[in-house]
Amino acid sequence: GAGVSQTPSNKVTEKGKYVELRCDPISGHTALYWYRQSLGQGPEFLIYFQGTGAADDSGLPNDRFFAVRPEGSVSTLKIQRTERGDSAVYLCASSSGPGDPFNSPLHFGNGTRLTVT
Amino acid sequence: RKEVEQDPGPFNVPEGATVAFNCTYSNSASQSFFWYRQDCRKEPKLLMSVYSSGNEDGRFTAQLNRASQYISLLIRDSKLSDSATYLCVVNGVNRDDKIIFGKGTRLHILP
């Protein structure tokens, strides 16, 4: 079946602009994660949704970052007033839910490479 | 202490050799652990879960040491295709807790 889909795959924007990154999880997956990864670093946790609600948004770096998942499926990560330091690969992952974690590993999308000039 | 720590490497290992690396975690109540593999400019993919009793999958063996709060990954008879970054992943204490990734250990298998 279809995997996690992220669009766009690449986004170049100017400093100060607003961007939206989209994630379409695997059908039926209730858990959705956003991570940010810089070169040479591991994925950095941003926010985790269980269904429509954000179960944990402690990783969002500041109030310029916001994410929604209004119908419990597609999620959008929104970044206002982008800064050069926001440049990174933004990864989305979904899983079948918190049940048995050994049987619900994360499935990642290909990521969106954001470049702020 | 960081939540999940790994030696970033790189580990440069000749083909056919055995290599092992560890990952330490700070929360003693963490419940589940995983190793993910990430190839250059690709997304992470699950390599194996780490069970309390340890588990083996072909050339790969994963172990958990709760007393010392670390997990390990051992690769035997390493292949060129094993070259990648290996990410240690720790699940939270509660079912709804976030999943934390280490920074990864880079492995280069040399011909």
Side-chain angles (χ1 to χ4, degrees), chain A residues 34-38 42-46 61 65 85-86 88-91:
Chain A
W34 282 101
Y35 290 85
R36 176 170 72 174
Q37 187 171 29
S38 300
E44 173 195 3
F45 171 80
L46 295 177
F65 288 74
D86 298 336
V89 175
Y90 288 80
L91 292 165

Side-chain angles (χ1 to χ4, degrees), chain B residues 1 4 22 37 43 48 51 73 77 88:
Chain B
R1 184 178 179 183
V4 180
N22 293 339
R37 172 193 169 128
E43 74 278 15
M48 57 198 306
Y51 300 118
L73 179 67
D77 187 24
C88 169

Side-chain angles (χ1 to χ4, degrees), chain B residues 84-100:
Chain B
T85 296
Y86 291 84
L87 297 162
C88 169
V89 181
V90 178
N91 217 348
V93 175
N94 301 309
R95 285 172 48 167
D96 288 345
D97 282 349
K98 61 192 179 188
I99 297 176
I100 302 296

Side-chain angles (χ1 to χ4, degrees), chain A residues 15-116:
Chain A
K15 179 176 177 293
K17 298 290 187 183
Y18 168 82
V19 295
E20 288 190 354
L21 312 179
R22 176 189 167 106
C23 173
D24 200 340
I26 292 172
S27 178
H29 277 191
T30 59
L32 186 146
Y33 290 75
W34 282 101
Y35 290 85
R36 176 170 72 174
Q37 187 171 29
S38 300
L39 194 63
Q41 301 294 312
E44 173 195 3
F45 171 80
L46 295 177
I47 185 170
Y48 159 47
F49 286 92
Q50 186 57 237
T52 60
D56 188 333
D57 64 358
S58 63
L60 295 177
N62 50 61
D63 61 6
R64 296 186 298 104
F65 288 74
F66 189 70
V68 295
R69 194 185 185 198
E71 298 178 357
S73 178
V74 171
S75 175
T76 305
L77 178 66
K78 308 180 181 190
I79 310 174
Q80 298 177 319
R81 305 183 303 280
T82 51
E83 299 177 357
R84 291 194 180 90
D86 298 336
S87 297
V89 175
Y90 288 80
L91 292 165
C92 175
S94 70
S95 76
S96 54
D100 174 2
F102 292 111
N103 290 319
S104 56
L106 294 179
H107 298 265
F108 281 87
N110 292 331
T112 294
R113 185 173 299 278
L114 175 66
T115 304
V116 181

Side-chain angles (χ1 to χ4, degrees), chain B residues 3-99:
Chain B
E3 291 179 280
V4 180
E5 289 199 74
Q6 294 183 252
D7 181 343
F11 284 57
N12 297 308
V13 175
E15 190 176 10
T18 295
V19 60
F21 24 84
N22 293 339
C23 164
T24 59
Y25 59 95
S26 61
N27 190 337
S28 60
S30 297
Q31 295 297 314
S32 52
F33 311 87
F34 308 86
W35 284 102
Y36 277 69
R37 172 193 169 128
Q38 186 171 27
D39 293 296
C40 188
R41 301 178 80 87
K42 298 286 188 181
E43 74 278 15
K45 292 185 178 178
L46 178 68
L47 177 65
M48 57 198 306
S49 303
V50 186
Y51 300 118
S52 296
S53 56
N55 49 304
E56 188 173 314
D57 183 2
R59 298 181 294 108
F60 297 82
T61 300
Q63 291 192 312
L64 167 64
N65 186 317
R66 283 198 183 275
S68 300
Q69 293 181 215
Y70 74 86
I71 65 172
S72 64
L73 179 67
L74 180 100
I75 306 174
R76 288 181 299 278
D77 187 24
S78 53
K79 311 291 184 191
L80 294 175
S81 58
D82 294 335
S83 297
T85 296
Y86 291 84
L87 297 162
C88 169
V89 181
V90 178
N91 217 348
V93 175
N94 301 309
R95 285 172 48 167
D96 288 345
D97 282 349
K98 61 192 179 188
I99 297 176

